[in-house]
Amino acid sequence: MAGKVLVVANWKMNPPTFREAKKLFEEERKAAEKARGVNVIVAPPAIFLRELSGMYRGSKIAFAVQNAHFEAGGAHTGEISLAQAKDARARYVIVGHAERRSEGETDDDTRKKVAVALALKMTPILCVGESARTGSGEQFEVVRGQLHAGLEDVSASALIKVLVVYEPLWTIGAKTTMNPRDMHQMAIFMRKCVVDSHGEAGRSLKILYGGSVDEKNVGAMLEDGDVRGFLVGRASVNAIEFTKLLQAIESSS
Ligand code: PGA
């Protein structure tokens, strides 16, 4: 595979205390430093971000927020802005995660968040994917619509600064992951959608896969899935599993 494999560690609403977060981060830092072919982006709960990023001196790990508001400020109780996230040293922001979409994040929100992130020189990690598969192929139309909306305000030359994750809701927190060949087919489709909307620049769209990624399935996905990396939930909040995951990527990339 050309270039390093990107691993986004989406801790979600874990762990319960900063003490545990610090310990988890320290273990993941060690694992990341040994995995030469991998770049790691840690997305901790926002409340832990500033302290974790302030402790870290290396360049192997970058930080993300799991969500942020597109407005610069104002009456949005409970929200944080992208500028505040950046000020706490987040260089990336996850946009449109399936769990947030199911709590009301709209396509239009994703469009605004992607645009504001780019304007702040942050990298949006735009998540797309259908909620369920019925066998009639409607996942393609869902993904086309989400890509269209999320990338609507992105110029062709700025596409390079966006990461797109295909992460269907039905593979998140599931027992099995997606078949790499299906992922490959989806990656081809996603590039085609973006070529249709943005021209040739769409061919180099950076695509990651998410949904029940672990040390056992990551090798096959790298081999046949046509992806540059992964968005990892459960396996990223267990230091042993995360270490094994990075080792598995190292030995197959
Ligand atoms: P999972 O979560 O790896 O636990 O399936 C992935 C995600 O939702 O980012």
Side-chain angles (χ1 to χ4, degrees), residues 10 12 97 99 167 171-174 211-213 231-234:
N10 178 14
K12 305 193 179 181
H97 188 281
E99 288 159 7
E167 184 177 68
T171 66
I172 300 175
S212 298
V213 172
L231 178 58
V232 185
R234 278 162 301 165

Side-chain angles (χ1 to χ4, degrees), residues 88-102:
R89 298 179 205 92
R91 279 177 39 212
Y92 295 78
V93 55
I94 300 174
V95 175
H97 188 281
E99 288 159 7
R100 298 224 51 97
R101 288 184 191 264
S102 67

Side-chain angles (χ1 to χ4, degrees), residues 34-178:
K34 285 198 193 109
R36 277 189 287 156
V38 181
N39 277 338
V40 174
I41 299 165
V42 174
I47 195 160
F48 299 149
L49 175 65
R50 183 181 295 276
E51 223 164 324
L52 287 179
S53 64
M55 279 166 30
Y56 180 61
R57 297 273 163 262
S59 55
K60 181 80 189 179
I61 296 177
F63 292 89
V65 274
Q66 299 169 14
N67 178 43
H69 203 285
F70 51 82
E71 292 287 359
H76 298 287
T77 302
E79 296 283 349
I80 58 166
S81 72
L82 279 155
Q84 289 165 341
K86 183 178 177 182
D87 186 60
R89 298 179 205 92
R91 279 177 39 212
Y92 295 78
V93 55
I94 300 174
V95 175
H97 188 281
E99 288 159 7
R100 298 224 51 97
R101 288 184 191 264
S102 67
E103 300 211 3
E105 182 162 348
T106 65
D107 275 345
D108 204 47
D109 293 334
T110 66
R111 174 181 68 78
K112 291 177 187 157
K113 291 177 187 191
V114 166
V116 176
L118 288 174
L120 289 170
K121 299 199 168 14
M122 295 172 77
T123 302
I125 304 172
L126 174 67
C127 302
V128 298
E130 74 285 359
S131 314
R133 281 217 177 171
T134 57
S136 51
E138 68 227 25
Q139 67 268 20
F140 293 109
E141 281 326 297
V142 172
V143 167
R144 181 198 294 281
Q146 291 174 340
L147 281 174
H148 182 78
L151 300 176
E152 198 175 335
D153 293 347
V154 179
S155 66
S157 62
L159 267 184
I160 189 93
K161 298 174 194 142
V162 179
L163 298 172
V164 178
V165 188
Y166 175 62
E167 184 177 68
L169 186 60
W170 57 272
T171 66
I172 300 175
K175 286 210 176 65
T176 49
T177 188
M178 168 157 217

